Amino acid sequence: MAKQPMLKFVTVERDMPEKRDATVRKDDFNEIYAEFAKAKAEEQASRCSQCGVPYCQSHCPLHNNIPDWLNLTATGRLKEAYAVSQATNTFPEICGRICPQDRLCEGNCVIEQSGHGTVTIGSVEKYITDTAWENGWVEALAPSEERGESVGIIGAGPGGLAAADRLRRAGFQVTIYDRYDRAGGLLTYGIPGFKLEKDVVMRRNQLLEDGGVTFKLNCNVGDDISFQEIRDAHDAVIIATGVYKSRDLQGPGAGAEGIVKAIDYLTASNRLNFGDTVPEIESGELNAEGKKVVVIGGGDTAMDCVRTAIRQGAESVKCLYRRDKANMPGSQRETQNAEEEGVEFVWLSAPKGFTGSDKVDGVMVQKMRLGQPDASGRQSPEVIEGADYVEEADLVIKALGFEPEDLPTLWGQPELEVTRWGTVKAQFTTGATDLDGVYAVGDIVRGASLVVWAIKDGRDCADAIIERFGDQRAVAAE
Ligand SMILES: Cc1cc2nc3c(=O)[nH]c(=O)nc-3n(C[C@H](O)[C@H](O)[C@H](O)COP(=O)(O)OP(=O)(O)OC[C@H]3O[C@@H](n4cnc5c(N)ncnc54)[C@H](O)[C@@H]3O)c2cc1C
Ligand code: SF4
């Protein structure tokens, strides 16, 4: 049976007025919070029925051994729980924070399906690895042997980093090239800090750097260095560049000032939280403070924008989506969070254009209804004639999704095969492309996807490279 540390927290607030001094309060808080988090994790872990049909595990892209680490957590064997958890996941504390668990492990927990509320698997996973970091159980990355082969990785997002971690542990020389000034990809500059604290990402980057991974940042491949130069410098290359071309809106007024891309808006906010000077925040261009904000889109990026705008002190925040709540692509949990924070959802509404002369002052909205299902089975939105209206806005954020950049053209590599969606053609199990020694992982292969899938791809690709060169060394030794 769980303890009730939350009551203890109330006791401190109420019964210890002499402890109003900020430092004492903070220490007390940290201690009590740690105890609370431990009790909560143990309580949740002990709710696992060890059902024997771990749908949670089969619906986790990494096939994490969830029942085992829940069992170990429930019995207080946290160090062992950490060992089991990190064996299959390169960044468990990150997945624990930002996986859409309601669509993956937790959505398939048998306790959830029997109507008793899921075991909060993600928060236990986060707790286990946060505790491992606090207690120094996260070991330095120390290869048992140094190998001569080198791998160049383009892109320091979760896909590239997961591959780097595994390759470096196996002794490969690893260099990561990224056009940003900090590693982490969308973990660093896309996902907001209130969902994923940035020090959690930075300590992972540091672990890799301390373990001998070389980062070449501010290095835009195709611009500062060519793809061919990277290919020539390494025995294998992994393309892990993600997808960054924002889908756009057409219509009258679409180019007006005050209409911005979600990725620019979120990057600016994340930069500010790092303490960077961000001129677009100072000028107000990418700052929602005091504004009537309209976000267009219904996915997780749209949810991140609306919740960021609330935190920046927007006067009002509305989210326009052309289908209804039941048909939103984003996580229901995220939508609920946004609603609780004061975001107003305007369902069945699509933008037709924008009002305002130079600067936007409204979105021309067409009302929609849901018609027949399309090829994907989802009901298609249809326009309701004569129901148009204008939604007032002085900042409009376009969050309509992302597409891949045209890598064969940008990199002058017409032989790099892409699909009709522009994603790089690669084998799903190994990441191998048709170019010898060139692999691809994460969003650039799958299209906009999830962190956990990028991690899986990175790990699988690293294993394929290790196997390939392992074999070659065996042949050379004969
Ligand atoms: C706003 C937002 C919120 C999200 N929230 C979640 C979430 O809560 N949970 C979840 O699971 N997923 C979420 N996702 C999706 C998730 O972030 C991605 O699926 C994941 O980051 C993909 O990893 P990746 O390694 O393939 O690419 P990325 O993380 O995109 O990293 C690619 C890296 O490549 C670099 N790069 C690109 N081109 C070049 C070049 N030419 N030269 C050098 N470097 C280059 C980029 O700078 C970047 O650092 C979110 C996505 C967005 C946009
Ligand atoms: S990695 Fe994601 S899906 Fe897998 S157990 Fe962790 S939170 Fe669930």
Side-chain angles (χ1 to χ4, degrees), residues 405-431:
E405 289 160 309
D406 180 0
L407 293 187
T409 307
L410 283 174
W411 291 352
Q413 297 285 319
E415 62 281 17
L416 179 67
E417 250 197 284
V418 293
T419 65
R420 64 191 162 108
W421 299 281
T423 48
V424 172
K425 245 188 195 174
Q427 287 177 20
F428 267 113
T429 45
T430 61

Side-chain angles (χ1 to χ4, degrees), residues 98-100 154-160 177-180 182 184-187 190-192 195 219-222 240-244 263 266 300-301 304 402 405 407 411 441-444 448-452 454:
I98 48 104
C99 268
I154 309 173
Y177 303 82
D178 200 290
R179 62 183 168 200
Y180 282 145
R182 292 183 177 94
L186 290 170
L187 302 176
I191 301 172
K195 275 170 63 181
C219 178
N220 192 7
V221 176
T241 49
V243 288
Y244 282 87
I263 193 70
L266 293 171
D300 288 338
T301 302
D304 288 344
F402 301 95
E405 289 160 309
L407 293 187
W411 291 352
V441 300
D443 281 6
I444 192 60
S449 179
L450 294 174
V451 168
V452 65

Side-chain angles (χ1 to χ4, degrees), residues 157-267:
L161 294 178
D165 180 276
R166 220 154 164 80
L167 287 164
R168 185 67 198 123
R169 283 178 201 278
F172 284 78
Q173 310 309 312
V174 180
T175 302
I176 307 187
Y177 303 82
D178 200 290
R179 62 183 168 200
Y180 282 145
D181 55 344
R182 292 183 177 94
L186 290 170
L187 302 176
T188 297
Y189 284 132
I191 301 172
F194 57 82
K195 275 170 63 181
L196 176 60
E197 308 92 301
K198 299 306 158 182
D199 55 337
V200 169
V201 182
M202 294 305 122
R203 69 187 175 190
R204 282 288 174 186
N205 294 341
Q206 194 61 53
L207 194 77
L208 287 167
E209 196 171 351
D210 293 346
V213 172
T214 303
F215 285 91
K216 295 211 165 166
L217 300 176
N218 295 308
C219 178
N220 192 7
V221 176
D223 204 350
D224 300 310
I225 184 171
S226 72
F227 179 73
Q228 193 55 49
E229 281 174 280
I230 292 182
R231 240 186 128 184
D232 293 344
H234 300 283
D235 299 290
V237 175
I238 303 176
I239 303 171
T241 49
V243 288
Y244 282 87
K245 199 167 97 190
S246 301
R247 292 203 185 106
D248 217 342
L249 281 171
Q250 306 300 330
E257 195 186 316
I259 305 174
V260 303
K261 292 179 189 164
I263 193 70
D264 294 343
Y265 175 69
L266 293 171
T267 304

Side-chain angles (χ1 to χ4, degrees), residues 60-62 64 66 69 89 95-96 99 101 104-105 121-122 125 452:
C60 164
L62 295 163
N64 281 343
I66 299 164
W69 47 252
N89 191 350
C95 292
C99 268
Q101 287 101 3
L104 300 171
C105 53
I121 297 165
E125 188 177 28
V452 65

